[in-house]
Amino acid sequence: MIELQGISKTYDSIAAVSDLNMTIQAGRIYGFLGPNGAGKTTAIRMLMNIIIPDTGSILFDGISQRPPSNQIGYLPEERGLYQKISVFETLQYFAHLRDVSDPNTKIKDYLQRFDLGTRLQSKVSELSKGNQQKLQFINTILHDPQYIVLDEPFSGLDPVNQLLLKEILEEKKQAGKTIIFSSHQMDQVEKLCDDVALINHGYLVTAGDLSTIMKSEGLPQLQVTPVDEEDLTHKCFSAYDSIEKDGSIYIEIGTQSKQEIISTLNKSIDLKTVRVAEQGLEEIFIHLVKGSQ
């Protein structure tokens, strides 16, 4: 278990993280979420002991000492790979630092799984952004760490490789590993995480079991799809608490009934489909942030 107890960090009078409290249970996938600039990376770097909190403490299984480096795998948001050596040499080097047994077999197996089996001798600089991200992820898990910490792990990955990364994280979870990752892609987190913490401007908005948060904080919505795509920006939607996503408008059902909302909209635009939908994590986050302001 990892505990973040009241950690804060300020830069030039600007609070990057303010009195953050989180408990991360072992053997679960924990999503650390928020918009760009919310303080996610700062918190991750404090967790990794790259920067020191101004106040507060971080405990691993009740101890304030960080575990040995071979028990932690860390994928930073910025790539830190050596660009002028080959893919294979890169992984061999880090495997040696971490005393990985039978490293060559493990390296080749992971490279094959990520469709990089033919790029062993390619220089890192010759890889695309997505392939460099895959290489860095392999480097993060090659030594089979107990704690896996990922900062924006889906960056640069196409949908196929995003799915593969999620499959591997599920495998690691089943093996009892503790996985923490930060992301602003809340749809990815919603599909993968057991627990989440939502932060905004360095402050914790809410934290806990994902399914519990979805049930307790989610509000029923109307998903409205106009016949004419241009009507997605029609002024009739301004009367409601709503957002546009994937070609539909999601309207929070407040004091008005569903029938009243539909009747009002039908006076202004033609509707293709209307259905009741539960809020997703992104909508819940927006609702909670508005409520805390």
Side-chain angles (χ1 to χ4, degrees), residues 87 116 119 122-132 135:
V87 167
L116 291 171
R119 305 300 299 271
S122 298
K123 291 183 179 179
V124 172
S125 61
E126 297 171 351
L127 300 181
S128 66
K129 178 182 177 181
N131 281 340
Q132 288 196 34
L135 177 61

Side-chain angles (χ1 to χ4, degrees), residues 37-271:
K40 302 186 302 297
T41 294
T42 299
I44 289 288
R45 288 174 177 170
M46 286 191 282
L47 177 63
M48 294 302 301
N49 205 35
I50 296 171
I51 57 178
I52 306 301
D54 296 332
T55 60
S57 57
I58 299 173
L59 306 179
F60 288 81
D61 293 326
I63 302 171
S64 60
Q65 183 175 353
R66 185 172 170 270
S69 59
N70 63 358
Q71 292 186 25
I72 298 179
Y74 174 47
L75 189 156
E77 186 175 14
E78 303 86 4
R79 292 178 180 83
L81 300 171
Y82 300 114
Q83 297 290 309
K84 295 185 179 181
I85 62 176
S86 73
V87 167
F88 195 59
E89 288 173 311
T90 296
L91 294 176
Q92 280 185 315
Y93 171 71
F94 285 106
H96 176 72
L97 291 180
R98 295 159 177 161
D99 295 321
V100 177
S101 61
D102 193 18
N104 290 355
T105 299
K106 293 176 181 176
I107 290 169
K108 290 177 181 178
D109 287 345
Y110 270 123
L111 289 175
Q112 195 68 37
R113 190 168 182 184
F114 275 97
D115 199 27
L116 291 171
T118 61
R119 305 300 299 271
L120 271 71
Q121 302 307 319
S122 298
K123 291 183 179 179
V124 172
S125 61
E126 297 171 351
L127 300 181
S128 66
K129 178 182 177 181
N131 281 340
Q132 288 196 34
Q133 184 74 350
K134 290 191 286 184
L135 177 61
Q136 188 147 295
F137 178 70
I138 293 170
N139 184 44
T140 302
I141 62 173
L142 184 63
H143 55 298
D144 195 30
Q146 182 60 38
Y147 302 96
I148 301 172
V149 182
L150 312 169
D151 196 352
E152 297 289 353
F154 300 107
S155 176
L157 297 182
D158 59 36
V160 172
N161 284 296
Q162 288 182 5
L163 180 60
L164 177 57
L165 188 146
K166 285 186 281 189
E167 288 176 356
I168 292 176
L169 291 181
E170 283 286 354
E171 291 171 8
K172 295 297 181 182
K173 171 190 165 183
Q174 294 303 318
K177 310 301 182 181
T178 302
I179 301 164
I180 307 157
F181 72 89
S182 72
S183 180
H184 64 277
Q185 299 182 36
M186 297 195 189
D187 57 331
Q188 297 288 2
V189 173
E190 194 172 333
K191 300 171 185 175
L192 186 61
C193 286
D194 301 302
D195 309 294
V196 295
L198 305 177
I199 70 166
N200 191 49
H201 298 306
Y203 289 91
L204 184 68
V205 177
T206 190
D209 176 80
L210 175 59
S211 60
T212 301
I213 290 174
M214 298 287 284
K215 290 176 183 176
S216 62
E217 302 291 351
L219 298 173
Q221 297 178 308
L222 277 183
Q223 180 186 351
V224 178
T225 306
V227 172
D228 189 341
E229 190 174 333
E230 292 184 359
D231 284 337
L232 288 169
T233 58
H234 196 281
K235 63 182 181 180
C236 67
F237 293 115
S238 63
Y240 304 100
D241 191 352
S242 63
I243 63 168
E244 187 272 325
K245 185 174 71 172
D246 299 330
S248 294
I249 300 292
Y250 290 80
I251 302 172
E252 287 190 15
I253 300 173
T255 56
Q256 280 188 295
S257 68
K258 299 186 291 293
Q259 290 75 17
E260 288 175 324
I261 296 172
I262 295 167
S263 176
T264 301
L265 294 176
N266 270 324
K267 294 175 183 177
S268 301
I269 62 174
D270 294 324
L271 301 179

